[in-house]
Coordinates of all heavy atoms in Angstrom, one line a residue:
M2 N 125.9 60.5 80.7 CA 125.0 59.3 80.7 C 125.8 58.2 81.2 O 127.0 58.0 80.9 CB 124.4 58.9 79.3 CG 123.1 59.5 79.0 SD 122.5 58.6 77.6 CE 121.3 59.7 77.1
S3 N 125.2 57.3 81.9 CA 125.9 56.1 82.5 C 125.8 55.0 81.3 O 125.0 55.1 80.5 CB 125.2 55.6 83.7 OG 123.9 55.1 83.4
S4 N 126.7 54.2 81.6 CA 126.9 53.1 80.6 C 125.6 52.1 80.6 O 125.2 51.6 79.5 CB 128.1 52.2 80.8 OG 128.0 51.7 82.1
T5 N 125.0 52.1 81.7 CA 123.7 51.3 81.8 C 122.6 52.0 80.9 O 121.9 51.2 80.2 CB 123.2 51.2 83.2 OG1 124.3 50.7 84.0 CG2 122.0 50.3 83.3
K6 N 122.5 53.2 81.0 CA 121.5 54.0 80.1 C 121.8 53.8 78.7 O 120.9 53.5 77.8 CB 121.4 55.5 80.6 CG 120.6 55.7 81.8 CD 120.5 57.1 82.1 CE 119.8 57.4 83.3 NZ 119.7 58.9 83.6
I7 N 123.0 53.9 78.3 CA 123.4 53.7 76.9 C 123.2 52.4 76.4 O 122.6 52.1 75.3 CB 125.0 54.1 76.7 CG1 125.1 55.6 77.0 CG2 125.5 53.8 75.3 CD1 126.6 56.0 77.1
A8 N 123.6 51.4 77.4 CA 123.2 49.9 76.8 C 121.8 49.7 76.7 O 121.3 49.1 75.8 CB 123.9 49.0 77.9
S9 N 121.0 50.4 77.6 CA 119.5 50.2 77.5 C 119.0 50.8 76.2 O 118.1 50.2 75.5 CB 118.8 50.8 78.6 OG 119.2 50.2 79.8
L10 N 119.5 51.9 75.8 CA 119.1 52.6 74.6 C 119.4 51.9 73.3 O 118.6 51.7 72.4 CB 119.5 54.1 74.6 CG 118.9 55.2 75.6 CD1 119.7 56.3 75.5 CD2 117.5 55.3 75.2
V11 N 120.6 51.3 73.4 CA 121.1 50.4 72.3 C 120.2 49.2 72.1 O 119.8 48.8 71.1 CB 122.6 50.1 72.5 CG1 123.0 49.0 71.5 CG2 123.5 51.3 72.2
F12 N 120.0 48.6 73.3 CA 119.1 47.4 73.3 C 117.7 47.7 72.7 O 117.2 47.0 71.9 CB 119.0 46.8 74.7 CG 118.2 45.6 74.7 CD1 118.6 44.4 74.2 CD2 116.9 45.7 75.2 CE1 117.8 43.2 74.2 CE2 116.2 44.5 75.3 CZ 116.7 43.3 74.7
A13 N 117.2 48.9 73.3 CA 115.7 49.2 72.8 C 115.8 49.6 71.2 O 114.9 49.3 70.5 CB 115.4 50.4 73.6
G14 N 116.9 50.2 70.8 CA 116.9 50.5 69.3 C 117.0 49.4 68.5 O 116.5 49.1 67.5
L15 N 117.8 48.3 69.0 CA 118.0 46.9 68.3 C 116.5 46.2 68.3 O 116.2 45.6 67.2 CB 119.0 46.1 68.9 CG 120.5 46.5 68.6 CD1 121.4 45.7 69.5 CD2 120.8 46.3 67.1
A16 N 115.9 46.3 69.4 CA 114.6 45.6 69.4 C 113.6 46.3 68.5 O 112.9 45.6 67.8 CB 114.0 45.7 70.8
L17 N 113.6 47.6 68.4 CA 112.7 48.3 67.5 C 113.2 48.0 66.0 O 112.3 47.8 65.2 CB 112.8 49.7 67.7 CG 112.0 50.2 68.9 CD1 112.3 51.8 69.2 CD2 110.5 50.0 68.6
A18 N 114.5 47.9 65.8 CA 114.8 47.6 64.4 C 114.5 46.2 64.0 O 113.9 45.8 62.9 CB 116.4 47.8 64.3
I19 N 114.6 45.2 64.9 CA 114.1 43.8 64.6 C 112.7 43.8 64.4 O 112.2 43.1 63.5 CB 114.6 42.9 65.7 CG1 116.2 42.8 65.7 CG2 114.0 41.5 65.7 CD1 116.7 42.0 67.0
F20 N 112.0 44.4 65.1 CA 110.4 44.4 65.1 C 110.0 45.1 63.7 O 109.2 44.6 63.1 CB 109.8 45.2 66.2 CG 108.3 45.2 66.1 CD1 107.5 44.1 66.4 CD2 107.7 46.4 65.8 CE1 106.2 44.0 66.3 CE2 106.3 46.4 65.8 CZ 105.6 45.2 65.9
G21 N 110.7 46.1 63.4 CA 110.4 46.8 62.2 C 110.7 45.9 60.9 O 110.0 45.7 60.0
F22 N 111.9 45.2 60.9 CA 112.3 44.2 59.9 C 111.1 43.2 59.8 O 110.8 42.8 58.8 CB 113.6 43.6 60.3 CG 114.0 42.5 59.3 CD1 114.6 42.7 58.1 CD2 113.8 41.2 59.7 CE1 114.9 41.9 57.2 CE2 114.2 40.2 58.8 CZ 114.7 40.4 57.6
W23 N 110.7 42.6 61.0 CA 109.7 41.6 60.9 C 108.4 42.1 60.4 O 107.8 41.5 59.6 CB 109.5 41.1 62.3 CG 108.3 40.1 62.4 CD1 108.5 38.7 62.1 CD2 107.0 40.3 62.8 NE1 107.3 38.2 62.3 CE2 106.3 39.1 62.7 CE3 106.2 41.4 63.1 CZ2 105.0 38.9 62.8 CZ3 104.9 41.3 63.3 CH2 104.3 40.1 63.3
L24 N 108.1 43.4 60.7 CA 106.8 43.9 60.3 C 106.9 44.1 58.7 O 105.9 43.9 58.1 CB 106.5 45.3 60.8 CG 105.6 45.4 62.1 CD1 105.5 46.8 62.6 CD2 104.3 44.9 61.6
I25 N 107.9 44.5 58.2 CA 108.1 44.8 56.8 C 108.4 43.6 55.9 O 107.8 43.5 54.9 CB 109.2 45.9 56.5 CG1 108.8 47.1 57.2 CG2 109.4 46.0 55.1 CD1 109.9 48.2 57.2
F26 N 109.2 42.7 56.4 CA 109.7 41.6 55.6 C 109.0 40.2 55.9 O 109.0 39.5 55.0 CB 111.2 41.6 55.6 CG 111.8 42.8 55.0 CD1 112.5 43.7 55.7 CD2 111.7 42.9 53.5 CE1 113.0 44.7 55.2 CE2 112.3 44.1 53.0 CZ 112.9 45.0 53.8
V27 N 108.9 39.9 57.0 CA 108.5 38.6 57.4 C 107.0 38.4 57.8 O 106.5 37.2 57.3 CB 109.4 38.1 58.7 CG1 109.0 36.6 59.2 CG2 110.8 38.2 58.4
R28 N 106.3 39.3 58.2 CA 105.0 39.1 58.5 C 104.1 38.9 57.3 O 104.3 39.6 56.3 CB 104.3 40.4 59.2 CG 102.9 40.1 59.8 CD 102.4 41.4 60.4 NE 102.0 42.3 59.3 CZ 101.5 43.4 59.5 NH1 101.1 43.8 60.6 NH2 101.0 44.0 58.4
A29 N 103.3 37.9 57.3 CA 102.6 37.6 56.1 C 101.2 36.8 56.5 O 101.1 36.3 57.6 CB 103.3 36.6 55.2
P30 N 100.3 36.8 55.6 CA 99.0 36.1 56.0 C 99.4 34.7 56.0 O 100.3 34.1 55.4 CB 98.2 36.4 54.6 CG 98.7 37.5 54.0 CD 100.2 37.6 54.4
S31 N 98.6 33.9 56.8 CA 98.8 32.5 57.0 C 98.5 31.7 55.8 O 97.8 32.2 54.8 CB 97.9 31.9 58.1 OG 96.7 31.9 57.7
P32 N 99.0 30.4 55.7 CA 98.6 29.7 54.5 C 97.1 29.4 54.4 O 96.6 29.4 53.3 CB 99.3 28.3 54.9 CG 100.6 28.6 55.7 CD 100.0 29.9 56.5
Q33 N 96.4 29.3 55.4 CA 95.0 29.1 55.4 C 94.3 30.5 54.7 O 93.4 30.3 53.9 CB 94.3 28.9 56.8 CG 94.8 27.5 57.4 CD 96.1 27.6 58.0 OE1 96.7 28.7 58.2 NE2 96.5 26.4 58.5
E34 N 94.7 31.6 55.1 CA 94.3 32.9 54.6 C 94.6 32.9 53.0 O 93.6 33.3 52.3 CB 94.8 34.0 55.2 CG 94.4 34.2 56.7 CD 95.1 35.3 57.4 OE1 96.3 35.1 57.9 OE2 94.4 36.5 57.4
I35 N 95.8 32.6 52.7 CA 96.2 32.6 51.3 C 95.2 31.7 50.4 O 94.8 32.0 49.4 CB 97.7 32.3 51.1 CG1 98.4 33.5 51.9 CG2 98.1 32.1 49.7 CD1 98.2 34.9 51.2
C36 N 95.1 30.4 50.9 CA 94.4 29.4 50.3 C 92.9 29.8 50.1 O 92.3 29.7 49.0 CB 94.6 28.1 50.9 SG 96.3 27.5 50.7
R37 N 92.4 30.4 51.1 CA 90.9 30.7 51.1 C 90.8 31.9 50.1 O 89.9 32.0 49.3 CB 90.6 31.3 52.5 CG 89.1 31.5 52.7 CD 88.3 30.3 52.7 NE 87.3 30.3 51.6 CZ 86.7 29.3 51.1 NH1 86.8 28.1 51.5 NH2 85.8 29.5 50.1
H38 N 91.7 32.9 50.1 CA 91.7 33.9 49.0 C 91.8 33.3 47.6 O 91.0 33.8 46.8 CB 92.8 34.8 49.3 CG 92.8 36.1 48.4 ND1 91.8 37.0 48.3 CD2 93.7 36.4 47.4 CE1 92.1 37.9 47.3 NE2 93.3 37.5 46.9
K39 N 92.7 32.3 47.4 CA 92.8 31.8 46.1 C 91.5 31.1 45.6 O 91.1 31.1 44.6 CB 93.9 30.8 46.1 CG 95.3 31.5 46.0 CD 96.4 30.5 46.0 CE 96.9 30.1 44.7 NZ 98.1 29.2 44.7
I40 N 90.9 30.4 46.6 CA 89.6 29.6 46.4 C 88.6 30.7 46.0 O 87.7 30.4 45.1 CB 89.3 28.6 47.5 CG1 90.2 27.6 47.4 CG2 87.8 28.2 47.3 CD1 90.1 26.6 48.6
D41 N 88.5 31.8 46.8 CA 87.6 32.9 46.5 C 87.7 33.4 45.1 O 86.7 33.7 44.4 CB 87.6 34.0 47.6 CG 87.1 33.6 48.9 OD1 86.4 32.6 48.9 OD2 87.4 34.2 49.9
L42 N 88.9 33.6 44.7 CA 89.3 34.1 43.3 C 88.7 33.0 42.3 O 88.1 33.5 41.3 CB 90.7 34.4 43.1 CG 91.2 35.4 44.0 CD1 92.9 35.5 43.7 CD2 90.7 36.7 43.6
V43 N 88.8 31.8 42.4 CA 88.4 30.8 41.6 C 86.8 30.8 41.5 O 86.3 30.9 40.5 CB 88.8 29.4 42.0 CG1 88.1 28.3 41.2 CG2 90.3 29.2 41.8
L44 N 86.2 30.9 42.7 CA 84.8 31.0 42.8 C 84.2 32.4 42.1 O 83.1 32.2 41.5 CB 84.3 30.9 44.2 CG 84.5 29.6 44.9 CD1 84.0 29.7 46.3 CD2 83.8 28.4 44.1
N45 N 84.9 33.4 42.2 CA 84.5 34.5 41.4 C 84.5 34.4 40.0 O 83.8 35.2 39.2 CB 85.5 35.8 41.8 CG 85.2 36.2 43.3 OD1 84.1 35.9 43.9 ND2 86.1 36.9 43.8
E46 N 85.4 33.5 39.4 CA 85.5 33.3 38.0 C 84.6 32.4 37.4 O 84.4 32.2 36.3 CB 86.9 33.0 37.5 CG 87.9 34.2 37.8 CD 89.3 34.1 37.4 OE1 89.5 33.1 36.7 OE2 90.1 34.8 37.8
V47 N 84.1 31.5 38.4 CA 83.1 30.3 37.9 C 81.7 30.8 37.9 O 81.3 31.4 39.0 CB 83.3 29.1 38.9 CG1 82.4 28.0 38.6 CG2 84.8 28.6 38.7
P48 N 80.8 30.6 37.0 CA 79.5 30.9 37.0 C 78.8 30.2 38.2 O 79.1 29.2 38.6 CB 79.0 30.4 35.6 CG 80.1 30.3 34.8 CD 81.3 29.9 35.7
Q49 N 77.7 30.9 38.6 CA 77.0 30.4 39.9 C 76.4 29.1 39.7 O 76.5 28.1 40.5 CB 75.8 31.3 40.2 CG 75.0 31.0 41.5 CD 75.9 31.1 42.7 OE1 76.8 32.0 42.7 NE2 75.6 30.3 43.6
E50 N 75.9 28.7 38.4 CA 75.3 27.4 38.2 C 76.3 26.2 38.3 O 76.0 25.1 38.4 CB 74.6 27.3 36.8 CG 75.3 27.8 35.6 CD 75.3 29.2 35.4 OE1 74.7 30.0 36.1 OE2 75.9 29.6 34.4
Q51 N 77.6 26.6 38.1 CA 78.6 25.6 38.2 C 79.2 25.3 39.5 O 80.1 24.4 39.7 CB 79.8 25.8 37.1 CG 79.4 25.8 35.7 CD 80.5 26.2 34.8 OE1 81.6 26.5 35.2 NE2 80.2 25.9 33.5
R52 N 78.8 26.1 40.4 CA 79.3 26.0 41.9 C 78.7 24.9 42.7 O 79.2 24.5 43.6 CB 79.2 27.4 42.5 CG 80.0 28.3 42.1 CD 79.8 29.7 42.8 NE 80.5 30.8 42.2 CZ 80.4 32.0 42.7 NH1 79.9 32.3 43.8 NH2 81.1 33.0 42.1
E53 N 77.4 24.6 42.3 CA 76.7 23.6 43.2 C 77.4 22.3 43.2 O 77.9 21.7 42.3 CB 75.3 23.5 42.5 CG 74.4 24.6 42.5 CD 73.1 24.4 41.9 OE1 72.6 23.2 41.8 OE2 72.4 25.3 41.5
G54 N 77.5 21.8 44.4 CA 78.1 20.5 44.6 C 79.6 20.5 44.7 O 80.3 19.5 44.7
A55 N 80.2 21.7 44.8 CA 81.7 21.9 44.8 C 82.2 22.0 46.1 O 83.4 22.0 46.3 CB 82.1 23.1 43.9
D56 N 81.4 21.9 47.1 CA 81.9 22.0 48.5 C 83.0 21.0 48.9 O 84.0 21.5 49.5 CB 80.8 22.0 49.5 CG 79.8 23.1 49.4 OD1 80.2 24.2 48.9 OD2 78.6 23.1 49.8
A57 N 82.7 19.7 48.6 CA 83.7 18.7 49.0 C 85.0 19.0 48.2 O 86.1 18.8 48.8 CB 83.2 17.3 48.6
L58 N 84.8 19.5 47.0 CA 86.1 19.6 46.1 C 86.9 20.8 46.7 O 88.1 20.8 46.8 CB 85.6 19.8 44.7 CG 86.8 20.2 43.8 CD1 87.8 19.0 43.7 CD2 86.3 20.5 42.4
I59 N 86.1 21.8 47.1 CA 86.8 23.1 47.6 C 87.6 22.7 48.9 O 88.7 23.2 49.1 CB 85.8 24.1 47.9 CG1 85.3 24.7 46.5 CG2 86.3 25.3 48.7 CD1 84.0 25.6 46.6
I60 N 86.9 21.9 49.8 CA 87.7 21.5 51.1 C 88.9 20.8 50.7 O 90.0 21.0 51.3 CB 86.7 20.6 51.9 CG1 85.6 21.5 52.4 CG2 87.5 20.0 53.1 CD1 84.6 20.7 53.1
Q61 N 88.9 19.8 49.7 CA 90.2 19.1 49.3 C 91.1 20.1 48.7 O 92.4 19.9 49.0 CB 89.7 18.0 48.3 CG 89.0 16.8 48.9 CD 89.7 16.2 50.1 OE1 90.9 15.9 50.0 NE2 89.1 15.9 51.1
L62 N 90.6 20.9 47.9 CA 91.7 22.0 47.2 C 92.3 22.8 48.3 O 93.5 23.1 48.3 CB 90.9 22.8 46.2 CG 90.6 22.2 44.9 CD1 89.7 23.2 44.2 CD2 91.8 21.9 44.1
E63 N 91.5 23.2 49.4 CA 92.0 24.1 50.4 C 93.1 23.2 51.2 O 94.1 23.7 51.7 CB 90.9 24.6 51.3 CG 91.4 25.6 52.3 CD 90.2 26.3 53.0 OE1 89.1 25.8 52.8 OE2 90.5 27.3 53.7
L64 N 92.8 21.9 51.5 CA 93.7 21.2 52.3 C 95.1 21.0 51.5 O 96.2 21.2 52.0 CB 93.2 19.8 52.7 CG 92.1 19.7 53.8 CD1 91.5 18.4 53.9 CD2 92.6 20.3 55.0
G65 N 95.0 20.8 50.3 CA 96.1 20.5 49.3 C 96.9 21.8 49.4 O 98.1 21.8 49.4
C66 N 96.2 22.9 49.2 CA 96.9 24.3 49.1 C 97.6 24.5 50.4 O 98.8 25.1 50.3 CB 95.8 25.3 48.7 SG 96.4 27.0 48.7
V67 N 97.1 24.4 51.5 CA 97.7 24.6 52.8 C 98.9 23.8 53.0 O 100.0 24.3 53.4 CB 96.7 24.4 53.9 CG1 97.4 24.5 55.3 CG2 95.6 25.4 53.9
K68 N 98.9 22.6 52.6 CA 100.0 21.7 52.7 C 101.1 22.3 51.8 O 102.4 22.2 52.1 CB 99.7 20.2 52.3 CG 99.0 19.5 53.4 CD 98.6 18.1 53.0 CE 97.7 17.4 54.1 NZ 97.4 16.2 53.7
A69 N 100.8 22.7 50.6 CA 101.8 23.2 49.6 C 102.4 24.4 50.1 O 103.6 24.7 50.0 CB 101.1 23.4 48.2
A70 N 101.6 25.3 50.7 CA 102.2 26.5 51.3 C 103.0 26.3 52.4 O 104.1 27.0 52.6 CB 100.9 27.4 51.7
E71 N 102.6 25.3 53.3 CA 103.5 25.0 54.4 C 104.9 24.4 54.0 O 105.9 24.6 54.5 CB 102.8 24.0 55.4 CG 101.7 24.6 56.2 CD 100.8 23.7 56.9 OE1 101.0 22.5 56.7 OE2 100.0 24.2 57.7
K72 N 104.9 23.7 52.8 CA 106.1 23.2 52.3 C 107.0 24.3 51.7 O 108.2 24.3 51.8 CB 105.8 22.2 51.2 CG 105.5 20.8 51.7 CD 105.3 19.7 50.6 CE 104.9 18.4 51.2 NZ 104.8 17.5 50.1
K73 N 106.2 25.2 51.1 CA 106.9 26.4 50.5 C 107.6 27.2 51.7 O 108.7 27.6 51.6 CB 105.9 27.3 49.9 CG 106.6 28.5 49.1 CD 105.6 29.3 48.3 CE 105.1 28.4 47.2 NZ 104.7 29.1 46.0
I74 N 107.1 27.3 52.8 CA 107.6 27.9 54.0 C 108.9 27.1 54.4 O 109.9 27.6 54.6 CB 106.7 28.1 55.1 CG1 105.6 29.0 54.8 CG2 107.5 28.6 56.5 CD1 104.4 29.1 55.9
Q75 N 108.8 25.9 54.5 CA 109.8 24.9 55.0 C 111.0 25.0 54.1 O 112.1 25.1 54.5 CB 109.2 23.5 55.1 CG 110.2 22.6 55.6 CD 109.7 21.1 55.9 OE1 108.6 20.9 55.3 NE2 110.3 20.3 56.4
F76 N 110.8 24.8 52.7 CA 111.9 24.7 51.8 C 112.4 26.0 51.3 O 113.6 26.1 51.0 CB 111.5 24.0 50.5 CG 111.2 22.5 50.9 CD1 109.9 21.9 50.6 CD2 112.0 21.7 51.6 CE1 109.7 20.5 50.7 CE2 111.9 20.3 51.9 CZ 110.7 19.8 51.5
R77 N 111.6 27.2 51.3 CA 112.1 28.4 50.7 C 112.4 29.4 51.8 O 113.1 30.4 51.5 CB 111.1 29.0 49.7 CG 111.0 28.1 48.5 CD 110.2 28.8 47.4 NE 110.1 28.0 46.3 CZ 109.4 28.2 45.2 NH1 108.5 29.3 45.3 NH2 109.2 27.4 44.3
G78 N 111.8 29.2 53.1 CA 112.0 30.2 54.0 C 110.9 31.1 54.3 O 110.1 31.4 53.3
K79 N 110.9 31.8 55.4 CA 109.8 32.6 55.7 C 109.8 33.9 54.9 O 108.7 34.5 54.6 CB 109.8 32.9 57.2 CG 109.4 31.9 58.1 CD 109.0 32.2 59.6 CE 108.5 31.1 60.3 NZ 107.1 31.1 60.5
L80 N 111.0 34.4 54.5 CA 111.1 35.7 53.8 C 110.5 35.5 52.4 O 109.6 36.4 51.9 CB 112.5 36.2 53.7 CG 113.2 36.7 55.0 CD1 114.6 37.1 54.8 CD2 112.4 37.8 55.5
K81 N 110.8 34.4 51.7 CA 110.3 34.2 50.4 C 108.8 33.9 50.5 O 108.0 34.3 49.6 CB 111.0 32.9 49.8 CG 112.4 33.2 49.4 CD 112.6 33.2 48.0 CE 114.1 33.3 47.8 NZ 114.4 33.8 46.5
Y82 N 108.4 33.1 51.5 CA 107.0 32.9 51.7 C 106.1 34.2 51.9 O 105.2 34.4 51.4 CB 106.7 32.0 52.7 CG 105.2 31.8 53.1 CD1 104.3 31.1 52.2 CD2 104.6 32.5 54.1 CE1 102.9 31.1 52.4 CE2 103.2 32.5 54.3 CZ 102.4 31.8 53.5 OH 101.1 31.8 53.7
A83 N 106.8 35.1 52.7 CA 106.1 36.4 53.1 C 105.9 37.2 51.8 O 104.9 37.8 51.7 CB 106.9 37.2 54.1
K84 N 106.8 37.2 50.9 CA 106.7 37.9 49.6 C 105.7 37.4 48.9 O 104.8 38.1 48.3 CB 108.1 38.0 48.9 CG 108.1 38.7 47.7 CD 109.5 38.7 47.0 CE 109.4 39.4 45.7 NZ 110.7 39.3 44.9
Y85 N 105.6 36.0 48.7 CA 104.7 35.3 47.9 C 103.3 35.6 48.4 O 102.3 35.9 47.8 CB 105.0 33.8 47.9 CG 103.9 33.0 47.6 CD1 103.5 32.8 46.2 CD2 103.1 32.1 48.5 CE1 102.5 32.0 45.9 CE2 102.2 31.4 48.1 CZ 101.8 31.4 46.8 OH 100.7 30.5 46.4
A86 N 103.1 35.4 49.7 CA 101.8 35.5 50.4 C 101.3 36.9 50.3 O 100.1 37.1 50.0 CB 101.9 35.2 51.9
R87 N 102.1 38.0 50.4 CA 101.6 39.3 50.3 C 101.1 39.6 48.8 O 100.2 40.3 48.5 CB 102.7 40.3 50.6 CG 102.8 40.4 52.1 CD 103.6 41.5 52.6 NE 105.0 41.6 52.0 CZ 106.1 41.0 52.5 NH1 106.0 40.5 53.8 NH2 107.3 41.1 51.9
C88 N 101.9 38.9 47.8 CA 101.5 39.1 46.4 C 100.1 38.5 46.2 O 99.2 39.0 45.6 CB 102.7 38.5 45.5 SG 102.3 38.5 43.9
V89 N 100.0 37.3 46.7 CA 98.7 36.6 46.5 C 97.5 37.4 47.1 O 96.5 37.5 46.5 CB 98.8 35.2 47.0 CG1 97.5 34.4 47.0 CG2 99.8 34.3 46.1
A90 N 97.8 37.8 48.4 CA 96.8 38.5 49.1 C 96.3 39.8 48.3 O 95.1 40.1 48.4 CB 97.2 38.8 50.4
A91 N 97.1 40.4 47.5 CA 96.9 41.6 46.9 C 96.3 41.4 45.5 O 95.7 42.2 44.9 CB 98.2 42.4 46.8
A92 N 96.4 40.1 45.1 CA 96.0 39.8 43.6 C 94.4 39.8 43.7 O 93.7 39.5 44.5 CB 96.3 38.4 43.3
Q93 N 93.9 40.5 42.5 CA 92.4 40.6 42.2 C 91.9 39.5 41.4 O 90.6 39.3 41.3 CB 92.1 41.9 41.8 CG 92.5 43.1 42.7 CD 91.8 43.1 44.0 OE1 90.5 42.9 44.0 NE2 92.4 43.2 45.1
T94 N 92.8 38.8 40.7 CA 92.3 37.7 39.8 C 93.1 36.4 40.0 O 94.3 36.6 40.6 CB 92.4 38.2 38.4 OG1 93.9 38.3 38.0 CG2 91.8 39.5 38.0
L95 N 92.6 35.3 39.6 CA 93.4 34.1 39.7 C 94.6 34.1 38.9 O 95.7 33.7 39.4 CB 92.5 33.0 39.3 CG 93.1 31.6 39.6 CD1 93.4 31.3 41.1 CD2 92.3 30.4 39.0
G96 N 94.7 34.7 37.8 CA 95.9 34.7 37.0 C 97.0 35.6 37.7 O 98.1 35.3 37.5
A97 N 96.6 36.7 38.3 CA 97.5 37.5 39.1 C 98.1 36.7 40.2 O 99.2 36.8 40.5 CB 96.9 38.9 39.5
A98 N 97.3 35.9 40.9 CA 97.7 35.1 42.1 C 98.6 34.0 41.6 O 99.6 33.8 42.4 CB 96.6 34.5 42.8
E99 N 98.4 33.4 40.6 CA 99.2 32.4 40.0 C 100.5 33.0 39.6 O 101.6 32.2 39.4 CB 98.6 31.6 38.9 CG 97.3 30.7 39.3 CD 97.7 29.7 40.6 OE1 98.8 29.1 40.3 OE2 96.9 29.7 41.5
G100 N 100.5 34.2 39.1 CA 101.9 34.8 38.6 C 102.8 35.1 39.8 O 103.9 35.5 39.6
C101 N 102.3 34.9 41.0 CA 103.2 35.3 42.1 C 104.2 34.1 42.4 O 105.2 34.2 42.9 CB 102.4 35.5 43.4 SG 101.3 36.9 43.3

């Protein structure tokens, strides 16, 4: 094998390793998706009659949540955020999501 082929194989292997690392550790739901999921969890726990008129409050909560998630990315890094986001996305209750 020529040195060019070996270098190409090494480069391809490194690229695949980096992509695999990203897929496993860094890829995560966006802050908007996480916040929407948390709001859906809250709505699931609130009786239907108490939901009326809550649209404006939900929009404000979502905006605040997105800003907090973006700060979490900025201050803690993408790896910590990815772990948190995957935990929240998998949560079935608000309590479980808050435990992340």
Side-chain angles (χ1 to χ4, degrees):
M2 264 199 201
S3 70
S4 61
T5 308
K6 285 185 180 181
I7 293 172
S9 297
L10 288 174
V11 168
F12 180 74
L15 285 173
L17 282 172
I19 290 171
F20 180 71
F22 174 81
W23 177 82
L24 259 175
I25 294 169
F26 295 107
V27 181
R28 190 184 77 171
S31 70
Q33 291 82 6
E34 291 174 276
I35 292 302
C36 293
R37 188 74 234 160
H38 180 65
K39 285 176 90 174
I40 289 171
D41 289 342
L42 291 175
V43 170
L44 291 175
N45 288 341
E46 293 183 13
V47 173
Q49 185 67 33
E50 55 274 356
Q51 291 181 355
R52 291 184 192 180
E53 293 179 26
D56 293 338
L58 180 61
I59 290 171
I60 291 169
Q61 291 300 317
L62 285 173
E63 190 168 9
L64 289 175
C66 177
V67 169
K68 287 180 184 178
E71 288 170 349
K72 282 185 182 180
K73 189 173 287 208
I74 294 170
Q75 183 179 10
F76 292 127
R77 294 189 180 169
K79 288 196 179 254
L80 289 177
K81 293 246 184 202
Y82 170 76
K84 182 179 177 183
Y85 162 79
R87 286 192 302 269
C88 176
V89 171
Q93 298 297 317
T94 65
L95 184 60
E99 292 300 319
C101 295

